[in-house]
Every structure is written in C-alpha cells, then in structure tokens.
Amino acid sequence: MSQPDRLSVARLAVLRASRLCRRLQADLARLGSMTKGDASPVTVADFAAQAVVAHTLREMLGPPTIVAEESALELRRRRAEGDPGLIDAVLSAVRTEWADATAEGVLEAIDLGAAEPLPSGGGRGDWSGFWALDPIDGTKGFLRNGQYAVALAWIEAGSPTLGVLGCPALSKDFNRPLDEPDPRGTIYFGVAGGGVYETGAEDEREAPVRVRRLEPAEGEPVRLCESVEGSHTSHDRAEKVMERLGELAEPLRLDGQTKYAVAARGQADVYLRLPRPGSRYTERIWDHAAGALLAREAGLAVTDVDGRELDFSRGRGLDKNRGVVVAPARLHGLLLGAIRALGED
Ligand code: AMP
Ligand code: MG
C-alpha cells in the first residue's frame, strides 16, 4: 500500500477519536476514571478512542497489526461478573463515531491492539510494519481539563515513518492558555521526508496547512516544554540543564505528546524528558512514535539523553533508550553536553 493511502486512513481514524474525546472531555464530571495496575488512570474515553481507531484501520485497510496501550480485559471481566455498566458507557461513546457498533465488536476492536512485538521482529504477526497507538496519551491531562493527544504511528524497521497526532484540546492560537480546552482542537500529521501539516480536529474537509517553524534566533530566550507530572521527568534536572543555555522564557508544562506538537510548531524550542535519578522506567513506544516523527519532520533533532536514536524495534518498550531530548540541532548539541556535565546527581 502507498503511504498516502495509509496516511489518509490514519488521519480519519485520529479525527474520529479526537472528536469523540472532545465530546467526552466536555462531560468529565459524569465520566469518572479507574486506576490500572500500574497506578495510571483510564477512562471510558481511552477504551472508546482505541475501539474507534482500530475499527477505522480495519474497516479501510484490512486486518491491522496494532500495538496499543489499552486492553479489553477489564471490560470483559466486569461484564462476566454481571456489571455491564462500563462496556455500555464505552459503547454509547463509540456509537457517536461508529454508528452500528455492538458490544462484542467494540471488545474485539480494542483487542486488535494487543499485538506483541518482540525484539528484532521475532514476535507473532506481520512485523514488516505495524501501528503504534495511544488512544489518549496524557489521560491525567484529559482528566484535569488540560492537554492530551490521540497518537497513531506506522513503524517500519525500528523507526516511525508516518505519524498522526490528534491534539483535541490544543488551540492553533499560541496565546490561548493550555488549560482552557479549545473547542476545535488541532491535528498534526506527516510522513518521513514530507514535512508536518496542521489541520483542525473537527471537520475532515478542512484543508491542511504546512507547519513552517522559525529557527530560534541566537540570543532569544529559549523556551522549554516538559511533563506536568514530576514523576515522569525530573523538573529539577531540566531546570539545571536549561540554565546553561542562557536566557530562558517561562517553561510550558503539558501532558502527552502535545509536547512534541508544541515544539514542532515552534511554540517551545526544547522538549526534555529527563529520567529521575535511579529511575528504571522504560518509555513505551506509543508514547513517542508519532511525536518523534513529527518533531523530526519539523527539522528538530530527536534522541534520548545519551544522544542515541530512539529504537522502536525492541517490542513495547524503548529499552535501549533513556528519556528524550528534542530541540533544533544547535541547541540539541548544547543540551546533550549539559546533561552529560550534570551527571546523575
Ligand atoms: P506525560 O504526559 O508526557 O507525562 O506522559 C504520559 C505518559 O507517561 C503516560 O502515557 C505513561 O505511559 C508514561 N509514564 C508513566 N510512568 C512514567 C514514568 N515513571 N516515567 C516516564 N513516563 C511515564
Ligand atoms: Mg501515553
């Protein structure tokens, strides 16, 4: 299949999921959330968005291989125990974008995301290319009425070659506060070598516009963006690293891969994700694949904190990498040097 066909289906899938998420975010009080085994939150919207994306890919491209964050296990368990409330809520959300969905069809669609890539392509299924999906990246942001992303990427030979990032609460207007969800949202997309495009997250007929990022001029204050969650990145270490760059602008804190989007469009110059001292966390591929492709296409350098390329051939985790550093080439070199100089203290 040609990359443009794959891209147009991926864009439609993310647009549908983004619309669904925006509607649900407007009704957060009723939605509620549950806590997963790893202590992270999950909502009706995470399950519904995963079902809609997987269904769209399957409907238009045939049975896809998808590595996604969510599984239908909890939905099936509750239903088997006589509690259909959760699957019913997911089904009614899904039906706003997939009108004739059934409960069984939704469970199957969610479980399409259970494909298991093994290091070096030794897993089951067709690993010549596969999708990585995070239906809601930054669920905490979604729940605090802030930023989050619907992240879908196509990965081939260990690298993303296509990325679509729905940012349903992110305004095109840089001046709008990040904690005021925009009623329209944005979607960023691109393929390797083709640049980054921006469109709205509401109407599939809206014409995309190429993102032209201005290089930060030397001597201009440098702006960092980073996670809201202090457990996902070391805010202290980032502050020390940034201090070495000279004059700084007020940093932006936002959830999910919207950080990659904000850097790609030039609203921030640098995205740092610095492991806390002693952290043994392995980054998940669906938390980086789409964003990393788009940042690269916007002309930014993307590596881990040791200057290594992100290696997406290792299964569900980026187990050869630690953290991420995203910046224009000149700043990126300075940042790696500053991180090395800081050491592990
Ligand atoms: P962010 O909004 O950028 O902080 O990232 C949200 C993502 O962080 C979630 O999707 C999780 O998969 C991931 N995450 C969970 N725990 C950690 C951790 N200890 N360090 C880094 N990322 C984490
Ligand atoms: Mg995530």
Side-chain angles (χ1 to χ4, degrees):
M1 179 191 314
S2 74
Q3 202 73 328
D5 294 344
R6 197 175 276 133
L7 178 62
S8 57
V9 175
R11 281 180 53 199
L12 179 62
V14 169
L15 179 94
R16 287 176 172 169
S18 298
R19 270 194 311 230
L20 179 158
C21 290
R22 289 207 346 264
R23 281 193 291 269
L24 291 178
Q25 198 186 30
D27 196 14
L28 267 184
R30 204 176 51 79
L31 193 60
S33 73
M34 293 150 283
T35 304
K36 290 192 282 190
D38 62 358
S40 65
V42 61
T43 69
V44 166
D46 296 64
F47 294 120
Q50 180 157 322
V52 164
V53 172
H55 167 71
T56 304
L57 296 178
R58 179 178 51 185
E59 179 187 39
M60 301 182 75
L61 299 174
T65 305
I66 310 176
V67 178
E69 177 164 15
E70 308 305 340
S71 107
L73 209 65
E74 181 66 12
L75 301 173
R76 291 184 193 280
R77 190 185 66 74
R78 291 196 188 191
R79 195 173 61 156
E81 289 174 357
D83 172 11
L86 184 54
I87 180 65
D88 287 350
V90 172
L91 182 59
S92 75
V94 165
R95 281 190 174 151
T96 61
E97 293 293 334
W98 169 12
D100 57 356
T102 60
E104 211 43 58
V106 165
L107 293 169
E108 270 171 32
I110 293 172
D111 276 342
L112 281 173
E116 272 305 329
L118 291 180
S120 314
R124 285 170 284 123
D126 175 10
W127 298 110
S128 55
F130 67 93
W131 298 102
L133 167 66
D134 195 340
I136 297 194
D137 178 27
T139 306
K140 288 184 178 167
F142 177 76
L143 286 169
R144 63 165 82 87
N145 230 5
Q147 297 300 323
Y148 62 97
V150 177
L152 179 65
W154 178 255
I155 295 176
E156 264 176 57
S159 296
T161 58
L162 176 162
V164 184
L165 201 58
C167 304
L170 187 64
S171 178
K172 288 181 185 171
D173 175 4
F174 289 12
N175 293 319
R176 188 182 177 99
L178 294 168
D179 56 1
E180 277 179 22
D182 184 80
R184 298 187 66 248
T186 41
I187 295 180
Y188 295 90
F189 64 88
V191 296
V196 182
Y197 290 81
E198 178 189 70
T199 182
E202 180 61 35
D203 184 349
E204 58 199 89
R205 290 161 307 184
E206 181 180 328
V209 174
R210 186 152 186 184
V211 174
R212 301 250 178 228
R213 191 182 176 288
L214 295 175
E215 281 301 305
E218 218 157 317
E220 282 286 300
V222 179
R223 193 182 304 276
L224 166 72
C225 69
E226 62 183 350
S227 289
V228 176
E229 295 297 319
S231 58
H232 295 176
T233 187
S234 168
H235 292 148
D236 286 356
R237 300 186 74 229
E239 194 180 334
K240 288 185 188 147
V241 166
M242 291 298 291
E243 272 167 7
R244 297 178 181 233
L245 297 185
E247 206 187 323
L248 300 178
E250 191 61 34
L252 298 176
R253 286 195 178 153
L254 66 172
D255 298 278
Q257 282 164 78
T258 46
K259 290 184 280 298
Y260 282 104
V262 154
R265 70 188 197 173
Q267 187 176 7
D269 304 298
V270 172
Y271 166 24
L272 287 180
R273 192 175 191 87
L274 303 182
R276 281 146 51 102
S279 166
R280 299 174 63 99
Y281 180 77
T282 301
E283 300 287 342
R284 316 318 293 162
I285 57 172
W286 52 77
D287 283 334
H288 297 281
L293 180 280
L294 295 172
R296 235 173 38 211
E297 285 306 312
L300 300 171
V302 180
T303 67
D304 74 359
V305 295
D306 301 310
R308 292 194 194 99
E309 292 278 311
L310 302 185
D311 180 353
F312 291 88
S313 71
R314 305 290 307 163
R316 294 191 152 227
L318 294 168
D319 66 1
K320 293 284 190 200
N321 300 110
R322 295 189 312 133
V324 290
V325 178
V326 180
R330 185 185 62 83
L331 287 178
H332 190 267
L334 295 174
L335 288 163
L336 290 182
I339 291 167
R340 222 177 300 122
L342 189 64
E344 288 294 324
D345 62 313

